[in-house]
Amino acid sequence: MKRIGPLLTLLGGLLLALFMLTLNATTGSASKATSAGDTVSASPTATRPPTTSAPPSPSASPTPAPSRSAPANADYAGRTDDDSSAVAVSLRDGRAIAYFCDGRDQESWLRGDVAEDGSMRLTGKTGGVLAGKLADGRIRGTVDLGGQRHTFTAEKAVKPSGLYRATATVRGAEIDGGWIVLPGGRQVGILNRDGAPGAAPEIDPETGAVTVDGQELTARPVTP
Amino acid sequence: MTVDPNAATQGFASPQPVPRRPGAARFLMPALVAAAVAVALGAYGRVHDPAGTAFNLAGFSSTSAVKSWLATASFGFALVQIVSALMIYGRLPGPGWAAALHRWSGRVAFLVAVPVAVHCLYALGYQTYTPRVMWHSALGCFFFGIFSAKMLLLRSERLPGWLLPVVGGLVFAALTVVWLTSALWFFRTFGVTT
């Protein structure tokens, strides 16, 4: 007699895993389009009232076919040439999301497509245009924001350097923080409380843990 | 009493010697499947680009919180596994349904752990950047490998009496370390939050 129970158990686990994977693959890309990166949210993103720095809308980036030869998935981080601000770019499957941040009050999330030759033109919902080109393992380009042009160079960044974001509601205030962890460990970030920008507390780049107004949040790596 | 009608694998000494060849295959197949499962999961987690995100459940602050609670539930059922196994083997007084309890608590523990593993591998991948993360990644893959082996071994009859307890113990030990390096770490770092 061969018992069938254990096989059914394994099969059940396998089916459940495949089901979850398809759920991830479908809703995952949808949520990626509505919210930049995973967010710490007490309620589903759709039900939250939009903030001034709201994540880009679903129409911002239709999923392109990943089959074309886009630049390899990677993260880049660096500073502007005048050393006033930081820029991070995250590339996935021919799409890019970038974050420009001066650590005080100037910031912009920008997104767009990356051409096969590595050039990109990313636009921000709240203004700002990033024009850059990936070559020799770094992205060089410019960010136009608030009437100023910043030239920047972003080197390839490996974890724990990179681009992080956390959104949550803390004591009734909509919190939206963005951080760039530069190669070498320096951090530049801005925390919005109900749309008002300010300096951000440091995150633990290893865990993404950050304390905002006494509440522990998790900042997560951002992907397009 | 505690005799499981299905526990043929505890093995009464078989009257005639078991043929050598099928015996080897009986152990080899689960071992190979275990290795294949563990390596495949690890390779997927390593090669595939972590999405960094996956769907969340309403009512939880983060996917990590969901996973921590699911993992804790799984670990709780794993503790039931140890007790019910001791009952089946007569080391503890237990009811007649100890075997059914063992089977079903095991199934629940496994099925609850699957979504956690899917999220880990899909969103985070196989990582080695700290010892905690390295052990968690390695033993997480090992857990599903050795669990597959345990399930397949259950189908064989007349195994050496020590084999199932040892493999089952490995499954439990792997799950324990995986839980310690993830859910317990999460609760200690971020507090016991939902």
Side-chain angles (χ1 to χ4, degrees):
Chain A
M1 181 212 72
K2 288 271 186 186
R3 240 168 291 139
I4 198 76
L7 277 193
L8 290 179
T9 304
L10 281 180
L11 196 66
L14 187 67
L15 288 178
L16 180 61
L18 291 176
F19 172 70
M20 304 283 294
L21 266 183
T22 35
L23 214 61
N24 270 333
T26 50
T27 66
S29 61
S31 83
K32 260 182 273 175
T34 51
S35 71
D38 197 7
T39 56
V40 182
S41 56
S43 57
T45 328
T47 63
R48 268 189 296 158
T51 60
T52 51
S53 64
S57 66
S59 59
S61 61
T63 312
S67 55
R68 67 177 180 192
S69 61
N73 296 344
D75 297 326
Y76 299 85
R79 300 187 66 82
T80 53
D81 290 355
D82 60 9
D83 209 35
S84 68
S85 310
V87 177
V89 186
S90 172
L91 304 184
R92 295 289 184 279
D93 300 329
R95 286 178 298 157
I97 184 163
Y99 183 50
F100 172 92
C101 171
D102 71 352
R104 295 183 303 276
D105 52 9
Q106 283 264 50
E107 65 163 359
S108 182
W109 291 92
L110 313 118
R111 51 173 66 218
D113 292 342
V114 185
E116 282 175 37
D117 66 354
S119 63
M120 64 195 78
R121 184 182 161 80
L122 315 179
T123 52
K125 216 183 171 192
T126 55
V129 176
L130 182 152
K133 187 160 165 61
L134 169 64
D136 305 326
R138 66 177 61 169
I139 296 176
R140 280 200 55 81
T142 56
V143 175
D144 294 331
L145 184 68
Q148 279 191 296
R149 169 161 288 193
H150 305 270
T151 317
F152 74 91
T153 307
E155 306 278 348
K156 192 157 188 171
V158 289
K159 202 176 159 78
S161 340
L163 181 54
Y164 296 84
R165 190 174 201 180
T167 60
T169 306
V170 176
R171 305 220 172 89
E174 293 284 345
I175 299 292
D176 183 357
W179 288 265
I180 296 169
V181 179
L182 295 164
R186 269 185 70 187
Q187 297 185 10
V188 183
I190 281 187
L191 191 76
N192 285 287
R193 287 185 180 84
D194 280 334
E202 292 235 318
I203 62 170
D204 177 351
E206 194 129 285
T207 60
V210 58
T211 307
V212 175
D213 300 340
Q215 173 126 353
E216 188 100 34
L217 304 179
T218 306
R220 298 184 186 279
V222 177
T223 54
Chain B
M1 233 310 273
T2 57
V3 177
D4 174 14
N6 288 317
T9 46
Q10 282 191 54
F12 296 88
S14 53
Q16 70 273 44
V18 183
R20 203 84 208 97
R21 223 160 248 296
R26 254 178 10 207
F27 304 132
L28 198 60
M29 211 267 283
L32 285 179
V33 169
V37 168
V39 171
L41 290 180
Y44 171 75
R46 193 86 190 143
V47 172
H48 132 100
D49 206 46
T53 170
F55 63 90
N56 195 359
L57 287 183
F60 283 96
S61 58
S62 70
T63 44
S64 301
V66 180
K67 285 165 69 179
S68 296
W69 284 107
L70 285 176
T72 303
S74 180
F75 182 66
F77 281 104
L79 292 175
V80 176
Q81 287 281 286
I82 293 293
V83 175
S84 57
L86 288 172
M87 289 172 179
I88 292 172
Y89 280 77
R91 303 297 169 93
L92 279 182
W97 42 268
L101 176 67
H102 187 75
R103 280 198 297 274
W104 282 102
S105 60
R107 275 179 190 140
V108 172
F110 169 62
L111 291 178
V112 164
V114 164
V116 182
V118 168
H119 183 277
C120 281
L121 289 167
Y122 177 83
L124 307 175
Y126 188 103
Q127 306 288 351
T128 53
Y129 53 88
T130 63
R132 176 188 74 82
V133 169
M134 184 198 74
W135 282 108
H136 181 80
S137 298
L139 284 170
C141 296
F142 174 80
F143 169 78
F144 285 96
I146 193 82
F147 180 83
S148 308
K150 169 91 190 326
M151 288 299 103
L152 295 176
L153 280 173
L154 286 173
R155 290 169 47 80
S156 303
E157 293 173 28
R158 285 196 285 276
L159 296 171
W162 52 266
L163 187 59
L164 274 186
V166 166
V167 175
L170 282 175
V171 173
F172 178 75
L175 185 67
T176 304
V177 178
V178 166
W179 180 79
L180 289 174
T181 52
S182 60
L184 186 66
W185 171 85
F186 177 85
F187 290 138
R188 287 173 59 97
T189 310
F190 299 101
V192 183
T193 59
T194 52

